[in-house]
Amino acid sequence: PLFYLTNVYVPNSGQKLDRLGYRTEQWDADLLKKMQQLEKDGNKPVIWLGDLNVAHNEKDTWNEGAKHLAKSAGTTVEERASFERQLSAGYT
C-alpha cells in the first residue's frame, strides 16, 4: 500500500463536559502520537478521517457567537486548541 487509511471516532466531551479533560489531555494526545508513530514506522503517509467531534472554528458552526457554544461539547476552547495542535503537527 502507498498509505495508511485510518477512520476514527473521537469520543465527545459529554453533555456536561465531564470528559473534557480526558478528551483533550489524553485521547487527542494519544491519537496524535499514534498517527505520528504509524507514519514514522511505516514510512508512508497517513490519511486520517472520521468523526473528530470538534468544530474547529466559526466556519464549522451555523450559530457561532451563541453563548452556549463555549460550554458545548465540540466547540470548547480546549477542544479547538487541541485540534489546532493536531493540525499544527502537519495533518489537514
Side-chain angles (χ1 to χ4, degrees), residues 46-50 52 83-92:
V46 174
I47 298 173
W48 175 4
L49 53 93
L52 303 179
F83 187 66
E84 185 60 41
R85 285 189 292 277
Q86 294 168 345
L87 294 176
S88 295
Y91 296 94
T92 57

Side-chain angles (χ1 to χ4, degrees), residues 1-2 13 24 39 48 54-55 60 70 83 86 88-89:
L2 301 174
S13 296
T24 58
E39 192 169 17
W48 175 4
V54 65
D60 298 317
F83 187 66
Q86 294 168 345
S88 295

Side-chain angles (χ1 to χ4, degrees), residues 17-35:
L17 303 179
D18 52 339
R19 295 186 303 265
L20 180 61
Y22 166 71
R23 158 68 192 278
T24 58
E25 297 166 21
Q26 189 174 351
W27 174 270
D28 287 353
D30 288 347
L31 178 60
L32 178 58
K33 187 175 177 181
K34 177 66 177 175
M35 295 299 108

